[in-house]
């Protein structure tokens, strides 16, 4: 339980302003790309212009003539590196299996094929454009239906089974009173944080310092040390501020290695900043999915069978497979459930985790199918979900630590005015727009990992140190809140240092697990210091045997009201409301920002985002923020997020689960369901663009 001084209002649960807010709005927060360093050299990446083949020749002579060019690394003169195997338990997770610059092979468009280093940024970029390459082309595998592409059935995603069945799905689908049997597809998506990936690498003898925006400083430290074959403690990753991540700064990328390689060879600091286009090509994406969902119910609307078969486009350069079916065995009660995932290996950039990997595309498919089932049965979509609420995790056969999906649905219905919805398609219009309401469930696991924290007292102030991350989420602020409560002091007496691999260990800022993992360690360290009365204390915290006794998940409900202009095919989201069950909320202000950001992410997915590959060259056609469309302010109408607060003390002593990813889940389905409610058109292929509605 939270320790507080008698009579003092706890800071946990209070919407304090971001403690790092002033640094950010005044420009004092130091981001990697802007960091000034003496005698720095600038690197630029040259990328392939074919999707598959080998480099026949690479001519750097014209590039080398540019004034200020120091060195050009190609596969012919680069030091040799081996890509280590991804091992999450060892906190060593390269995003790719393929290591560029080691030979003439090209396996996707936009692959790194040379690194130019120069005295100035401009010289490096100009020289990179003058590297001349010829190729021997091989046929490229670019589409999910290419019969020549290898297909595999991956067994698991971070320990969760990807091919499972309980009961007898076929028999119960055949005898169901109502069934839905449809294909739902989601395109490749790109994360595009405002801050591009960047590395500033500096050697001091055999020791390497890397400034890089990272969601996992410990993971990057292990990766760089392993690739260079040097002791882990000789690599120092510094990442105090991260301008957005969404998953694509979590795993480790080869550009960090190339910047460090250049710094070592040139014996001076090297700064490498990826271009916006290179973010699309080299830093992961959410792979496209084709989800064949078959669900059946009895005449009362009770689910009798779910079959969720996903085909995922992954990359020959990588290993990541979107686990889109993972929600189906646990979200509702259903005796007969099968999920399967098939990976198709293509010559496209390696994918990776993107905000709620699995749950985001998975809820689009399952929650759309549920809406179709509700229509067929003539049952209200909320009633159908309530009817099928699960009293336990039927896959793990464990009770949920805390599950309040029904409360989210019912509270949301009341707040949103669900009663007042149009009952049938094309029932309500205003001027030239049809109005539609849609609802969908949201869900994300409640993960927790081991973490440590240190507190130091200096006269009246306290310094909290953890190797965790603030990727815009509010981590600085909630650490200060938890520490202040545990120490019984005001938040102004707390200083927080994070984003540094030399600090006590913390997990990746991924899987929405930082809050649930780090806060118990911060609290424990502060309580220890308070008890000892000393000047320094360190504490570790880790999940225990509750992990085998309960199933931990967050839940939510997404509501939208949309307007469709049928002559233009335009969909506007007039209102959106998310209701979330994420345990204790430490800072309602920063948590709300996470929820709203997640929901906007979902609106982009539903209506705009569409990663397109050229079918001949494999180039990412939408490789910029004009062609890869994401919502701007004008695209978002009224939007709100509220929570039902049921602290989850089975997960940790703070009672908090994470809030970073769940906001995205369910949104695309709610919008697709609302489009159906408005127009009678069921769109199963995202994004819902005008051409699909005309
Ligand atoms: Mo999240 S995509 O697990 O950073």
């Amino acid at each position: 339980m939270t320790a507080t001084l008698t009579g003092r209002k706890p800071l946990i649960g209070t919407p304090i302003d971001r403690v790092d807010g002033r640094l950010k709005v005044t420009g004092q927060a130091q981001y990697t790309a802007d960091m000034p360093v003496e005698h720095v050299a600038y690197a630029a990446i040259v990328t392939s212009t074919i999707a598959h083949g080998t480099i026949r020749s690479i001519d750097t002579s014209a590039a080398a003539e540019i004034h200020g060019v120091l060195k050009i690394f190609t596969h012919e003169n680069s030091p040799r590196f081996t890509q280590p195997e991804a091992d999450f338990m060892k906190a060593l997770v390269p995003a790719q299996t393929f290591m560029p610059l080691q030979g003439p092979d090209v396996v996707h468009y936009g692959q790194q094929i040379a690194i130019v280093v120069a005295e100035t940024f401009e010289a490096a970029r100009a020289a990179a454009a003058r590297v001349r390459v010829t190729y021997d082309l091989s046929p490229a595998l670019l589409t999910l239906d290419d019969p020549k592409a290898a297909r595999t059935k991956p067994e698991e995603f971070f320990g969760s089974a990807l091919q499972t069945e309980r009961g007898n799905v076929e028999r119960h689908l055949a005898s169901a009173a109502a069934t839905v049997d449809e294909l739902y597809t989601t395109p490749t998506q790109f994360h595009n944080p405002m801050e591009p990936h960047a590395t500033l690498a500096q050697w001091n003898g055999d020791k390497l310092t890397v400034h890089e925006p990272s969601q996992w400083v410990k993971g990057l430290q292990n990766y760089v040390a392993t690739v260079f074959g040097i002791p882990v403690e000789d690599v120092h990753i510094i990442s105090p501020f991260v301008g957005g991540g969404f998953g694509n700064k979590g795993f480790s990328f080869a550009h960090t290695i190339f910047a460090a390689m250049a710094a070592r060879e040139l014996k001076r600091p090297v700064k490498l900043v990826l271009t916006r286009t290179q973010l699309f090509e080299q830093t992961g994406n959410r792979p496209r999915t084709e989800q064949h969902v078959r669900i059946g119910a009895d005449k009362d609307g009770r689910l009798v069978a779910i079959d969720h078969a996903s085909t995922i486009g992954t990359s020959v350069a990588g290993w990541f497979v979107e686990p889109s079916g993972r929600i189906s065995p646990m979200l509702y009660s259903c005796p007969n459930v099968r999920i399967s995932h098939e990976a198709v290996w293509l010559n496209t950039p390696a994918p990776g985790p993107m905000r709620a990997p699995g749950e985001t595309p998975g809820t689009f498919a399952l929650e759309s199918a549920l809406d179709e089932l509700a229509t067929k049965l003539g049952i209200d979509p909320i009633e159908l979900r309530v009817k099928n609420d699960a009293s336990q995790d039927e896959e793990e056969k464990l009770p949920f630590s805390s599950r309040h999906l029904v409360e989210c649905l019912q509270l949301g219905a009341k707040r949103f005015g669900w009663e007042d919805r149009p009952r049938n398609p094309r029932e309500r219009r205003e001027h030239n727009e049809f109005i539609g309401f849609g609802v969908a469930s949201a869900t994300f696991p409640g993960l927790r990992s081991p973490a440590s924290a240190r507190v130091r007292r200096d006269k009246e102030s306290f310094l909290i140190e953890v190797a965790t991350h603030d990727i815009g989420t509010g981590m600085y602020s909630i650490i200060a809140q938890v520490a202040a409560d545990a120490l019984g002091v005001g938040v102004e007496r707390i200083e927080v240092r994070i984003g540094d691999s030399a600090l006590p260990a913390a997990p990746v800022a991924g899987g929405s697990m930082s809050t649930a993992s780090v806060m118990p360690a911060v609290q424990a360290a502060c309580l220890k210091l308070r008890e000892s009365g000393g000047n320094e204390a360190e504490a570790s915290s880790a999940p225990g045997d509750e992990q085998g006794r309960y199933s931990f998940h967050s839940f939510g409900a997404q509501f939208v009201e949309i307007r469709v202009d049928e002559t233009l095919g335009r969909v506007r989201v007039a209102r959106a409301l998310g209701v979330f069950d994420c345990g204790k909320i430490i800072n309602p202000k920063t948590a709300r920002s996470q929820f709203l950001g997640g929901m906007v992410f979902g609106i982009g997915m539903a209506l705009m985002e569409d990663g397109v590959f050229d079918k001949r060259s494999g180039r990412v056609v939408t490789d910029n923020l004009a062609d890869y469309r994401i919502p701007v302010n004008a695209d978002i109408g009224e939007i709100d997020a509220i929570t039902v607060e049921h602290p989850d003390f089975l997960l940790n002593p703070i009672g908090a689960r994470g809030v970073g990813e769940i906001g995205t889940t369910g949104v695309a389905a709610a919008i697709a369901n609302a489009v159906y409610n408005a127009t009678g058109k069921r769109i199963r292929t995202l994004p819902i663009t005008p051409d699909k509605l005309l």
Side-chain angles (χ1 to χ4, degrees), residues 618-655:
R619 178 181 158 223
V620 184
V621 177
T622 51
D623 64 358
N624 58 80
L625 288 178
D627 294 315
Y628 187 79
R629 299 194 311 130
I630 55 172
V632 297
N633 241 322
D635 295 309
I636 307 300
E638 255 180 80
I639 187 166
D640 199 8
I642 58 174
T643 55
V644 295
E645 257 191 70
H646 300 283
D648 191 346
F649 294 119
L650 291 167
L651 182 64
N652 60 50
I654 311 272

Side-chain angles (χ1 to χ4, degrees), residues 36 117 125 127 162 209 212 245 248 269 277 398 405 451 482 496 511 610 677:
V117 194
R125 289 288 294 272
L162 292 180
T209 301
E212 167 136 7
N248 79 343
T277 290
L398 293 173
L405 174 59
V482 170
V496 179
D610 193 3
N677 183 243

Side-chain angles (χ1 to χ4, degrees), residues 144 149-154 163 310-315 319-322 340-346:
L144 278 179
R151 288 166 182 269
T152 59
K153 294 259 186 189
Q163 324 284 344
S310 300
T311 304
I312 314 295
T314 188
S315 162
W319 54 270
F320 184 90
V321 176
E322 186 84 12
S340 61
H341 293 80
E342 183 173 62
V344 184
W345 300 85
L346 303 173

Side-chain angles (χ1 to χ4, degrees), residues 662-692:
I662 190 170
T664 303
T665 71
V667 177
I671 291 173
N673 297 345
V675 167
Y676 175 79
N677 183 243
T679 65
K681 288 178 186 147
R682 176 62 65 176
I683 309 298
R684 303 184 185 90
T685 301
L686 293 184
I688 305 170
T689 40
D691 53 302
K692 291 170 187 155

Side-chain angles (χ1 to χ4, degrees), residues 191 215 245-248 250 352-357 444 471 508-512 661:
H191 316 60
Q215 290 177 244
F246 316 117
N248 79 343
M354 176 163 162
R355 211 168 194 172
F444 196 79
I471 60 175
V508 58
S512 297
E661 290 166 274

Side-chain angles (χ1 to χ4, degrees), residues 51 111 136 185 213 235 257 289 349 360 393 402 439 484 532 601 627 680 693:
Q111 173 190 313
D136 291 314
T185 68
V235 177
I257 302 301
T289 73
T360 294
D393 180 332
S402 178
V439 67
S532 72
F601 225 84
D627 294 315
L693 287 172

